[in-house]
Every structure is written in structure tokens, then in C-alpha cells.
């Protein structure tokens, strides 16, 4: 199909047994393209303007908000394009929403400290993954939209690389989105830790190779929402479409506070850490 509108009711039967489900479209045989982000915990999304990256991000995050409780999932969102993630302002699951590089340092430092704390918990209890702890900790997902904007902020890039490389056992997951894949940012170490890669159309084979999705340059430029995904092999699919207005309507029941139309530059709470302490005390 050339267009697939997002419907949570339609995809729910495909995801109900997953912990952190991703269901993003259909392949050429009409099968759902889905996986459990709790198992494949890092994702790179890239592609030219109009490829459907923004809609794809809305689909993934909206599904999580509807499927999980704030006690199960915490979100750290970075929207350096100031384009789409502001829709999630005021959602209980969101611990930080940053629009500039300087605003990322506080929540990232808190998150890194939380990773160290979780590592200590694994050692204390003699286990290798948070799922084996005697108490439940929420999953934490860091989303960075247009990472190329922080390319010169080496401290931030190093922390993002740390989240992607060390977060697996700690329940910390990473989504990186960028329009044009950057070979300097996507070095071999970082790319190796981005286990799922999705690309819309790329300008040429070189960009497709950097994005880690061979053949993305062959996608028809007129086919909006047509993408390729690489997990074990490269597969073409049509992504669900979810525009900003429909997304806002779906999210409205999950917003606890009425916010101004223009969100603040930084919204940081201690929710991740407060919730974790409560769970640990139980």
C-alpha cells in the first residue's frame, strides 16, 4: 500500500505479549514489521527530508505511551530540530525534554549516574540483567532527534555512545535520528551498537552504506513512508503514517498538566530516580 494510517487498535493484537513493543508498518507481504525493544534495544533512523522519520518517531513513542505505564517506562527526549517531540510535553512518562545541546547535560548526567547505580545493583544481587533483579525497574529510553547538531559537543557524544554501548543490561535504550548519516558520528563502535537500523530514501549508495541499510538509495522518491529496515537482513516496508494533529489527539488523555503552546527549553524532573527508589524500597 502507498499509505497506511496508524491505528493502535489494529496493531494491539500483534504487540500484546511484548514488553516494549515497536510496530511500525507492513512488509511487501502484508505482515507487520514489529519487534520488542526490550530485546533489540538500540535504533538508528535516517533518511532524506520527507522520508517519514518524524511520523515514524510519533508512531513508536505514541504506542509506548498507550501501552506502558509511567512506572514501566521513562523517556528522555531531545528534539534539536524543535519540530516534533514537543507533542510529548506534559506526558507522565517524560522525564526530560530538551531543545538545545546545553539543556542535555543535566538529564544526561543524571542518567549516567543512574546507569552506574543500576550496575551496582546487578553486582549486589549477583545478576547480569535488570530483568533478573528481585524488584522491577522501569525501562529508560533516550531519544535524540538530529544528533548531527551535537557533533562538536564531544562530552555529549561520548555520553550517547555510552548509553548505546552499555545500556543493554541496565534497561537503558537509545534511539538516534538524523537526516543525513554522518560517518564521523556513526563510527564503527557506535554503529555496531545500533542493533536496528531504519532508513528512508538516501541520496546515494554512500549515504545508504553509512546508514547501515544497503539499498536505501533505491527507494522511490515519490513513495512517502516507504522505508527499509535492517535487523538480520534488509527488508522493505511501508511505515504507518501518524500526523501531528492525530498524534496530539491520541496523547491528550495522557497529559496531566495543561502546558503553554511553546514548551520550555528544558523540562527535567527527578521521576526516574524517585520511582526507582520507591521500587527498590519495596
Amino acid at each position: 500500500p502507498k499509505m497506511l494510517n496508524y491505528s493502535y487498535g489494529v496493531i494491539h493484537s500483534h504487540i500484546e505479549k511484548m514488553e516494549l513493543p515497536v510496530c511500525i508498518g507492513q512488509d511487501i507481504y502484508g505482515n507487520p514489521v514489529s519487534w520488542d525493544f526490550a530485546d533489540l534495544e538500540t535504533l538508528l533512523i535516517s533518511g532524506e527530508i520527507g522520508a517519514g522519520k518524524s511520523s515514524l518517531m510519533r508512531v513508536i513513542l505514541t504506542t509506548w505511551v498507550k501501552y506502558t505505564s509511567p512506572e514501566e517506562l521513562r523517556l528522555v527526549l531531545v528534539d534539536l530540530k524543535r519540530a516534533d517531540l514537543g507533542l510529548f510535553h506534559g506526558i507522565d512518562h517524560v522525564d526530560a525534554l530538551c531543545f538545545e545541546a546545553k539543556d542535555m547535560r543535566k538529564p544526561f548526567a543524571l542518567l549516567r549516574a543512574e546507569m552506574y547505580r543500576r550496575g551496582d545493583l546487578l553486582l549486589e544481587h549477583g545478576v547480569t540483567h535488570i530483568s533478573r533483579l528481585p524488584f522491577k525497574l522501569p525501562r529508560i529510553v533516550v531519544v535524540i532527534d538530529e544528533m548531527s547538531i551535537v557533533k562538536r559537543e564531544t562530552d555529549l557524544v561520548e555520553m550517547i555512545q555510552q548509553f548505546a554501548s552499555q545500556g543493554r543490561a541496565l534497561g537503558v535504550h537509545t534511539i538516534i535520528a538524523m537526516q543525513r548519516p554522518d560517518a564521523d558520528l556513526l563510527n564503527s563502535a557506535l554503529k555496531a551498537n545500533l542493533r536496528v537500523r531504519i532508513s528512508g530514501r538516501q541520496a546515494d549508495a554512500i549515504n545508504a552504506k553509512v546508514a547501515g541499510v544497503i539499498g536505501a538509495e533505491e527507494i522511490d522518491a515519490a513513495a512517502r513512508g516507504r522505508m527499509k529496515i535492517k535487523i538480520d537482513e534488509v527488508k522493505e516496508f511501508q511505515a504507518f503514517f501518524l500526523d501531528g494533529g492525530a498524534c496530539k489527539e491520541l496523547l491528550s488523555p495522557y497529559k496531566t498538566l495543561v502546558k503553554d503552546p511553546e514548551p520550555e527549553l528544558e523540562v527535567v524532573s527527578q521521576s526516574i530516580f524517585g520511582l526507582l527508589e520507591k521500587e527498590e524500597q519495596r
Side-chain angles (χ1 to χ4, degrees), residues 71 74 108-127 129-130 133 135-140 162-163 166-167 169-172 270-282:
E71 290 76 22
R74 309 306 306 172
F108 275 28
L110 290 171
L111 179 53
R112 184 164 60 178
E114 174 57 23
M115 286 178 63
Y116 293 148
R117 192 183 78 90
R118 291 187 174 201
D120 290 342
L121 287 173
L122 297 186
L123 287 174
E124 180 183 339
H125 292 273
V127 296
H129 195 279
I130 64 160
L133 287 170
F135 46 85
K136 189 173 179 61
L137 298 178
R139 301 279 179 169
I140 304 170
Q162 184 178 10
F163 300 155
Q166 300 177 15
L170 306 173
V172 176
Q270 298 292 328
S271 299
I272 290 174
F273 311 98
L275 284 170
L276 294 172
E277 292 298 335
K278 290 178 184 177
E279 291 298 329
E280 187 178 358
Q281 287 169 9
R282 290 176 191 170

Side-chain angles (χ1 to χ4, degrees), residues 22-245:
V22 178
C23 187
I24 51 176
Q26 291 180 6
D27 65 17
I28 61 174
Y29 303 106
N31 300 316
V33 177
S34 60
W35 74 95
D36 195 335
F37 213 67
D39 299 324
L40 296 170
E41 64 291 319
T42 49
L43 169 63
L44 170 66
I45 305 173
S46 60
E48 294 181 339
I49 293 175
K53 298 188 304 298
S54 296
S55 174
L56 191 71
M57 300 265 288
R58 288 192 287 267
V59 165
I60 293 171
L61 293 174
T62 299
T63 298
W64 285 346
V65 170
K66 291 177 71 65
Y67 187 85
T68 67
S69 71
E71 290 76 22
E72 295 170 320
L73 174 67
R74 309 306 306 172
L75 297 170
V76 177
L77 307 180
V78 178
D79 186 358
L80 297 172
K81 295 188 303 182
R82 292 174 172 265
D84 297 294
L85 299 184
L87 287 168
F88 296 87
H89 186 58
I91 298 291
D92 270 348
H93 301 67
V94 177
D95 279 313
L97 177 57
C98 308
F99 293 92
E100 294 184 9
K102 64 182 179 64
D103 301 316
M104 297 164 62
R105 289 188 168 85
K106 180 178 179 180
F108 275 28
L110 290 171
L111 179 53
R112 184 164 60 178
E114 174 57 23
M115 286 178 63
Y116 293 148
R117 192 183 78 90
R118 291 187 174 201
D120 290 342
L121 287 173
L122 297 186
L123 287 174
E124 180 183 339
H125 292 273
V127 296
T128 58
H129 195 279
I130 64 160
S131 62
R132 298 185 178 92
L133 287 170
F135 46 85
K136 189 173 179 61
L137 298 178
R139 301 279 179 169
I140 304 170
V141 181
V142 184
V143 181
I144 305 105
D145 193 4
E146 204 47 64
M147 182 174 163
S148 59
I149 294 176
V150 297
K151 181 176 180 179
R152 296 182 181 179
E153 309 287 343
T154 55
D155 60 325
L156 294 175
V157 173
E158 287 174 1
M159 281 193 278
I160 293 167
Q161 291 175 338
Q162 184 178 10
F163 300 155
S165 63
Q166 300 177 15
R168 182 179 183 185
L170 306 173
V172 176
H173 310 265
T174 309
I175 298 177
I176 295 172
M178 56 178 63
Q179 179 181 319
R180 182 180 180 276
D182 188 307
D184 293 330
L185 276 175
L186 297 176
N187 54 50
S188 57
L190 179 57
K191 189 189 288 189
N193 286 299
L194 296 171
R195 304 182 67 192
V196 181
R197 301 161 197 172
I198 298 174
S199 179
R201 177 179 166 80
Q202 295 288 351
D204 51 47
I206 294 175
N207 280 359
K209 183 177 180 180
V210 174
V213 186
I214 302 300
E217 76 282 2
E218 299 170 358
I219 297 173
D220 185 350
R224 295 178 66 87
R226 192 63 54 83
M227 296 184 160
K228 294 196 175 188
I229 180 171
K230 183 180 187 302
I231 299 181
D232 296 320
E233 58 184 7
V234 177
K235 178 166 61 175
E236 189 166 336
F237 72 100
Q238 181 69 31
F240 291 127
F241 177 70
L242 178 61
D243 68 22

